[in-house]
Amino acid sequence: MKKIVTLLLVAASAISLKAQAPKDPKMDAFINNLMSKMTVEEKIGQLNLPSEGDIITGLGSNSGIADKIRKGQVGGMFNIKGVAKIKEIQRIAVTESRMKIPMLFGMDVIHGYESVFPIPLGIACTWDMNAIEQSAQIAAKEASADGINWTFSPMVDIARDPRWGRVSEGSGEDPFLGGQIAKAMVRGYQGKDNSFSQNSNILACVKHFALYGAGEAGRDYNTADMSHVRMYNEYFYPYKAAVEQGVASVMASFNVVDAVPAHANKWLLTDVLRKQWDFQGFTVADYQGVGEITSHGLGDLQQASVLALKAGLDMDMVAEGFVGTLPASLKEGKVTEAQIDQACRRILEAKYRLGLFKDPYKFCDDKRAKKEIYNKEHRAAARKTASQSFVLLKNEGNILPIDRKKTIAVIGPLANSGSNMVGTWSVAAKLEKPLTLVEGLKEVGGKEAKILYAVGSNLLADAKMQQDATMFGRDIPRDNRTEEELTKEALDIASKADVIVAAMGEASEMSGESSSRTDIGIPEVQKRLLAKLLQTGKPVVLVLFAGRPMTLVWEQENVPSILNVWFGGTEAAQAIADVVFGDVNPSGKLVSTFPRSVAQIPLYYNHLNTGRPASDKGFEKFRSNYMDEKNAPLYPFGYGLSYTTFEYSDITLSSNKMAKGNDITATVTVKNTGKKDGAEVVQLYIRDLVASISRPVKELKGFEKIVLKAGESKTVTFKITEDLLKFYNSNLEYASEPGEFQLMIGTSSDSVKNINFNLK
């Protein structure tokens, strides 16, 4: 059976600006009238975003923050959880302050609220924009039901150094894919038309602008430095995509850009963001970002606040530099009231668009909270999405899926922790609710399944390091028995089983913010246990928990089956069991390259060639290669196996010549050649063979996820437009150049068919 699937691609320069909400004359008139009655201090107060933790127990009308709200010194607060708390704070703002201006309430709703989806790096591996948009819709629905009207998501930083812990919070290494995900997330949070007509639509905030994922040495908050050509061609695209989708707010990044801190960078926040991209929303600092300008060496807090406001930063998070110093700076002539007015107006516009002036309690509905948070429907969606995010890295001998009738020994320090499943940045999750892997296998396996368990080893050999790696309530208790005692128990359990499932890898807090690592392999104490389990001769499946690409050369060479499950959210245990037992065929594809060695980093598929490129023959003198390691990665971008197999036909083009302003189509037929139904991500790459500047060896320009029954074929057609061939040249002009191009379609960046065509 053959079906035809057509994919229309969106070019980097052709994302419609129509997604931005048009200016509303009624809104302008309302805000003009409001601001005409406000004092300068009240205007500056709108720029202040303090936090009270979550939020200090007993926060109410007598707290210090309440006094600031009454005085008009607070524009919003963040990471407060619960309708009752938020409603009380909003009541103070709209009944006890002079101007009665409602407040924004933000939260780090990164990959779900109480119904938690896979970490962003994991959900990106679904390559399913509908599922990703749905995850944001559900997160917004739950958060808004609990009083939240603003999320600090999506994070769209391109990340090519897996030592950086926050790679877990982004969508990987590719600009094009990252841009599509950014747009899907914004649509999910804000609604497709950005009208905020539904009480489940909340403000999105794209972050971190800009280049935060390019920190040197993979160290968080570190310096990022690159050419403007690289910024525009590689790192800027996902931010721009979010802006053009109509994202309501943009968060500045901690790092410098051209040696100027992003929070004080006028070129970045005004020239690029507003003048070039026509951003209409408001900008916000990252946590203490204004205060940290002083650490970069640009002056004290008053000077930093002046620089930030004049650069185009509208809202100061936590540092209170604006509210504390701008009145004095205004008197001294260092800033103007017009600059303060501009920032204040942008905050008030966001509140107007949300509908808070009409109904300050729009997001404070107890009935919605009880009905819509962590309900059966949302959990089912989280479970389905999690199962699609897992990446099957190896399956020698088809050990997976496992027959339910077999006795399974589940061994490892990550086998019996439910709270660890949700992953980093899950601040609203109730950590006692998720099942452990052992519990998930038992529940999904049913009466037929016999599940045995042993901890086998500690997470880390060092007790202090384990404590740091399991902070924020992640329950991975340390076993005080010796390593020998733990290993002996594990081997005894393994001897009674038909197959071993080794639950190993990172704890959730070993990735995320401030979690950079120089060693990105499985901890040695776990590897020693894994080696002992392999020596039993029993089939071993490594269920790998990870928040980043890891170095797994030994595991790839020795472990017959490896299933990377990232951190799949509140329903991860059941989703893993769905895949382990074969109820779901894994279809995840990597969005970040897995290096063989840390020394290869940065390693990414869409690199430039060198004048002396390495061959695949091993070490050659005077070539761009290593003497002691391969250039190639362990697992390439776009890689991922299935319980079935797929076969690609040769590519056919409607024409091998393309005139400027026209388009051609590329077609390939994909067949499921195995015995199981499965999903495949068909990936399109293009290379500009001759250009005015060096161009990448290949760039993702399209993809389509298709579902094929066993034996079924589908024809996938990609439209190739001139826009897909454009890039920023050395003058930062965005244009295509005539010449020869190579087009590639395949199952990963490293496994493609190719054909050439010419742009005339």
Side-chain angles (χ1 to χ4, degrees):
M1 182 180 182
K2 182 179 288 189
K3 295 182 181 179
I4 297 178
V5 178
T6 302
L7 176 65
L8 297 178
L9 299 176
V10 182
S13 66
I15 309 168
S16 174
L17 287 170
K18 293 179 181 179
Q20 289 282 5
K23 281 290 185 180
D24 181 349
K26 290 183 179 180
M27 177 179 72
D28 287 344
F30 177 87
I31 292 175
N32 286 341
N33 180 57
L34 181 65
M35 290 184 65
S36 70
K37 301 172 184 177
M38 296 172 69
T39 66
V40 169
E41 288 75 16
E42 287 168 335
K43 293 173 183 177
I44 293 172
Q46 288 298 304
L47 317 185
N48 187 29
L49 183 68
S51 171
E52 290 288 307
D54 164 66
I55 257 327
I56 294 174
T57 302
L59 173 66
S61 59
N62 294 320
S63 69
I65 195 71
D67 289 337
K68 291 182 179 180
I69 295 169
R70 288 189 187 96
K71 294 174 183 176
Q73 295 177 346
V74 179
M77 296 180 68
F78 69 99
N79 282 356
I80 304 172
K81 189 173 189 290
V83 169
K85 290 179 181 179
I86 290 174
K87 195 169 186 177
E88 168 62 10
I89 300 168
Q90 192 73 291
R91 184 197 66 77
I92 297 169
V94 300
T95 65
E96 299 184 25
S97 69
R98 190 181 77 88
M99 294 305 301
K100 306 189 185 316
I101 298 173
M103 289 172 49
L104 295 176
F105 293 94
M107 178 174 271
D108 289 295
V109 183
I110 305 302
H111 52 109
Y113 191 67
E114 286 192 21
S115 299
V116 182
F117 285 74
I119 59 172
L121 185 66
I123 202 170
C125 292
T126 67
W127 295 60
D128 186 333
M129 298 306 107
N130 291 329
I132 291 171
E133 182 176 336
Q134 182 193 40
S135 77
Q137 284 176 336
I138 289 173
K141 196 171 186 179
E142 292 195 1
S144 63
D146 220 14
I148 304 300
N149 52 40
W150 182 22
T151 175
F152 305 122
S153 172
M155 191 197 96
V156 303
D157 301 308
I158 297 298
R160 293 169 173 175
D161 191 331
R163 293 174 297 181
W164 187 53
R166 293 192 87 166
V167 68
S168 64
E169 198 182 337
S171 299
E173 69 188 43
D174 183 71
F176 184 89
L177 178 60
Q180 312 318 304
I181 292 172
K183 291 185 290 179
M185 294 292 286
V186 172
R187 289 194 301 268
Y189 290 133
Q190 298 188 175
K192 289 181 171 61
D193 61 358
N194 296 307
S195 68
F196 299 96
S197 57
Q198 303 296 316
N199 61 4
S200 58
N201 298 146
I202 64 177
L203 303 174
C205 182
V206 70
K207 62 185 187 183
H208 307 82
F209 191 60
L211 317 183
Y212 185 43
E216 292 178 354
R219 219 169 65 233
D220 211 352
Y221 320 118
N222 205 11
T223 299
D225 192 15
M226 67 179 67
S227 70
H228 283 206
V229 168
R230 191 170 201 185
M231 288 184 203
Y232 279 84
N233 279 317
E234 301 175 38
Y235 281 78
F236 274 179
Y237 176 64
Y239 307 114
K240 185 172 185 284
V243 168
E244 292 173 335
Q245 187 62 43
V247 71
S249 59
V250 172
M251 181 181 288
S253 57
F254 286 120
N255 53 279
V256 298
V257 176
D258 291 338
V260 178
H263 284 75
N265 196 309
K266 186 177 183 294
W267 175 76
L268 197 65
L269 298 180
T270 297
D271 295 348
V272 174
L273 187 58
R274 297 201 181 272
K275 294 180 181 179
Q276 295 180 24
W277 297 354
D278 195 31
F279 174 58
Q280 298 297 314
F282 70 96
T283 55
V284 62
D286 205 339
Y287 197 99
Q288 284 280 11
V290 172
E292 291 178 16
I293 293 172
T294 64
S295 297
H296 287 290
L298 274 70
D300 61 18
L301 184 59
Q302 182 176 359
Q303 292 169 305
S305 299
V306 168
L307 289 170
L309 181 71
K310 293 174 76 171
L313 191 74
D314 300 318
M315 203 169 204
D316 175 9
M317 182 188 285
V318 176
E320 298 205 334
F322 282 6
V323 75
T325 71
L326 286 183
S329 295
L330 179 63
K331 290 178 181 178
E332 296 166 9
K334 295 176 180 177
V335 298
T336 66
E337 188 166 354
Q339 291 166 334
I340 293 169
D341 283 353
Q342 183 181 60
C344 177
R345 175 176 291 275
R346 290 167 180 161
I347 306 302
L348 295 176
E349 284 178 350
K351 295 179 179 183
Y352 185 96
R353 291 175 64 199
L354 274 174
L356 292 177
F357 287 105
K358 288 184 178 179
D359 181 5
Y361 307 108
K362 176 181 177 181
F363 300 97
C364 297
D365 187 337
D366 289 316
K367 292 180 181 178
R368 278 192 64 210
K370 292 175 183 177
K371 181 180 177 182
E372 296 181 7
I373 296 177
Y374 199 65
N375 64 28
K376 183 184 254 186
E377 178 188 353
H378 294 171
R379 292 173 63 194
R383 176 173 175 173
K384 180 180 179 182
T385 303
S387 68
Q388 295 175 341
S389 72
F390 305 151
V391 183
L392 184 61
L393 298 175
K394 185 180 180 183
N395 198 24
E396 188 177 276
N398 295 322
I399 296 175
L400 287 173
I402 299 173
D403 191 316
R404 278 175 164 81
K405 296 178 182 178
K406 290 187 176 180
T407 299
I408 304 172
V410 187
I411 298 171
L414 300 175
N416 212 29
S417 172
S419 59
N420 187 66
M421 291 286 190
V422 297
T424 187
W425 278 120
S426 46
V427 298
K430 294 187 175 178
L431 299 179
E432 73 278 6
K433 289 189 175 182
L435 299 183
T436 69
L437 177 56
V438 171
E439 291 168 339
L441 290 169
K442 287 180 177 178
E443 179 181 288
V444 177
K447 295 180 181 179
E448 289 182 304
K450 185 177 181 182
I451 309 298
L452 309 176
Y453 164 69
V455 64
S457 78
N458 279 304
L459 177 73
L460 295 163
D462 184 277
K464 175 62 169 62
M465 289 181 66
Q466 179 162 326
Q467 182 181 0
D468 292 342
T470 56
M471 62 178 67
F472 304 126
R474 274 28 176 201
D475 181 24
I476 308 176
R478 188 162 183 85
D479 197 306
N480 291 322
R481 289 177 288 176
T482 66
E483 184 175 339
E484 291 74 18
E485 289 172 325
L486 293 172
T487 301
K488 183 178 183 301
E489 179 188 56
L491 294 177
D492 181 58
I493 292 294
S495 70
K496 301 171 184 176
D498 300 311
V499 60
I500 300 168
V501 170
M504 298 182 178
E506 294 186 316
S508 63
E509 297 308 318
M510 291 171 72
S511 62
E513 186 168 356
S514 191
S515 296
S516 299
R517 297 180 62 201
T518 59
D519 181 351
I520 57 172
I522 294 177
E524 286 299 322
V525 67
Q526 296 183 49
K527 286 181 72 170
R528 289 193 292 269
L529 171 63
L530 184 57
K532 293 287 186 182
L533 296 176
L534 289 167
Q535 289 172 10
T536 66
K538 303 280 178 109
V540 175
V541 175
L542 172 58
V543 173
L544 179 70
F545 292 87
R548 53 164 51 87
M550 300 185 74
T551 49
L552 302 167
V553 173
W554 182 88
E555 291 80 0
Q556 172 64 21
E557 292 174 350
N558 292 280
V559 182
S561 187
I562 305 174
L563 179 67
N564 189 337
V565 298
W566 309 109
F567 296 102
T570 49
E571 313 308 306
Q574 299 94 315
I576 295 168
D578 289 338
V579 172
V580 166
F581 289 126
D583 299 338
V584 174
N585 189 346
S587 59
K589 298 278 190 174
L590 296 178
V591 297
S592 290
T593 300
F594 275 48
R596 295 176 58 85
S597 164
V598 170
Q600 292 178 302
I601 296 170
L603 186 66
Y604 49 96
Y605 86 93
N606 50 348
H607 58 85
L608 302 181
N609 217 343
T610 77
R612 296 183 177 185
S615 71
D616 57 1
K617 299 178 181 178
F619 175 73
E620 293 182 89
K621 199 72 172 174
F622 305 118
R623 291 285 171 180
S624 181
N625 55 19
Y626 300 103
M627 295 183 71
D628 57 349
E629 182 56 276
K630 299 176 182 177
N631 277 23
L634 182 62
Y635 306 119
F637 176 87
Y639 172 83
L641 302 177
S642 168
Y643 293 158
T644 189
T645 53
F646 300 98
E647 181 179 274
Y648 283 68
S649 72
D650 290 335
I651 304 166
T652 58
L653 296 177
S654 59
S655 173
N656 61 6
K657 295 180 180 179
M658 179 174 153
K660 281 200 166 224
N662 291 344
D663 55 67
I664 60 175
T665 58
T667 302
V668 68
T669 299
V670 183
K671 182 177 182 180
N672 182 342
T673 55
K675 297 180 180 179
K676 295 180 182 293
D677 299 348
E680 169 71 343
V681 179
V682 184
Q683 301 162 43
L684 168 72
Y685 300 88
I686 293 177
R687 180 179 186 183
D688 191 341
L689 293 172
V690 179
S692 59
I693 62 173
S694 184
R695 302 289 293 124
V697 295
K698 57 172 71 80
E699 294 177 287
L700 184 73
K701 292 295 183 179
F703 56 89
E704 177 76 353
K705 191 167 189 176
I706 59 175
V707 178
L708 293 171
K709 294 181 179 179
E712 183 183 14
S713 296
K714 284 185 180 179
T715 297
V716 180
T717 299
F718 295 94
K719 180 185 282 189
I720 313 302
T721 66
E722 183 188 349
D723 283 325
L724 287 177
L725 310 181
K726 290 180 178 178
F727 63 95
Y728 290 92
N729 62 26
S730 56
N731 295 320
L732 296 184
E733 299 163 334
Y734 194 69
S736 64
E737 296 177 353
E740 189 173 11
F741 293 81
Q742 186 175 64
L743 183 146
M744 296 157 270
I745 300 176
T747 187
S748 77
S749 63
D750 200 40
S751 180
V752 293
K753 303 274 185 149
N754 64 76
I755 192 169
N756 287 13
F757 69 94
N758 282 274
L759 176 67
K760 298 296 184 182

